[in-house]
Amino acid sequence: MTQEQIKSTIENMLGSFMEQNAFELVDVEYVKEGSNWFLRVYVDKEGGIDIDDCSRVSEFLSVQLDEKDPIPDAYFLEVSSPGAERPLKKPQDYFNALNHHVFITTYEPIDGAKEFEGLLVSFDGESLTVQAGKKESSIPLAKVASARLAIVF
């Protein structure tokens, strides 16, 4: 099973459970670290997720995974919050991040830079604008390699 197939399978398993509990599935990762595989599921909800919420998701998903057994390898299941520097993956994530501080990397340089940190001032579904001081950078979504909220100290 490819990483995308695993992600899709987990999303389908969690779909109605997440809706019923007003949880949001932020991301699913299936990665190998050393000799171990990890299935990481990041969840959130309005007002923030806590350890009890993560436990409920983990218990539900564990039962589903045991019943359907879609992943042939042995792995460790981890369910957690995406953290304060939450990744921005879906278009809705960018809309939710408007007027927040973000850190963006691109696949190729835009105006000579591949890293942008500042206030996300606009997003139209196809491109975003990050303002750092008086400079604004327009970045096509297709060129974004990674994006996350950023904490300002």
Side-chain angles (χ1 to χ4, degrees):
M1 221 179 202
T2 68
Q3 300 227 358
E4 283 306 310
Q5 289 171 319
I6 289 171
K7 182 175 182 171
S8 178
T9 298
I10 300 305
E11 288 172 353
N12 289 335
M13 284 181 178
L14 287 171
S16 61
F17 176 82
M18 299 298 277
E19 286 178 30
Q20 291 168 1
N21 290 281
F23 295 150
E24 174 192 359
L25 180 60
V26 175
D27 198 13
V28 175
E29 296 177 344
Y30 184 63
V31 295
K32 188 170 188 177
E33 295 178 1
S35 61
N36 296 315
W37 283 96
F38 291 86
L39 175 60
R40 293 191 177 113
V41 178
Y42 299 96
V43 296
D44 206 357
K45 71 176 184 183
E46 187 71 34
I49 201 106
D50 62 28
I51 190 102
D52 292 331
D53 296 326
C54 289
S55 179
R56 286 176 51 214
V57 173
S58 180
E59 289 170 12
F60 174 83
L61 185 56
S62 289
V63 169
Q64 296 296 307
L65 290 165
D66 287 345
E67 285 177 7
K68 296 178 173 93
D69 199 21
I71 303 171
D73 303 307
Y75 58 89
F76 294 96
L77 173 62
E78 297 177 353
V79 177
S80 69
S81 159
E85 292 191 334
R86 151 188 194 138
L88 307 176
K89 303 259 184 180
K90 301 173 267 194
Q92 189 60 46
D93 295 339
Y94 289 94
F95 286 117
N96 293 344
L98 285 170
N99 299 313
H100 288 85
H101 202 79
V102 296
F103 180 76
I104 310 287
T105 62
T106 58
Y107 292 113
E108 58 188 55
I110 297 173
D111 297 329
K114 289 179 72 174
E115 293 184 350
F116 303 86
E117 186 168 353
L119 193 66
L120 181 60
V121 294
S122 72
F123 177 66
D124 64 8
E126 294 184 19
S127 68
L128 49 113
T129 304
V130 175
Q131 182 178 15
K134 293 184 180 187
K135 182 181 180 186
E136 285 191 355
S137 301
S138 180
I139 305 164
L141 187 58
K143 293 189 179 185
V144 172
S146 69
R148 64 174 170 77
L149 292 177
I151 302 298
V152 180
F153 293 99

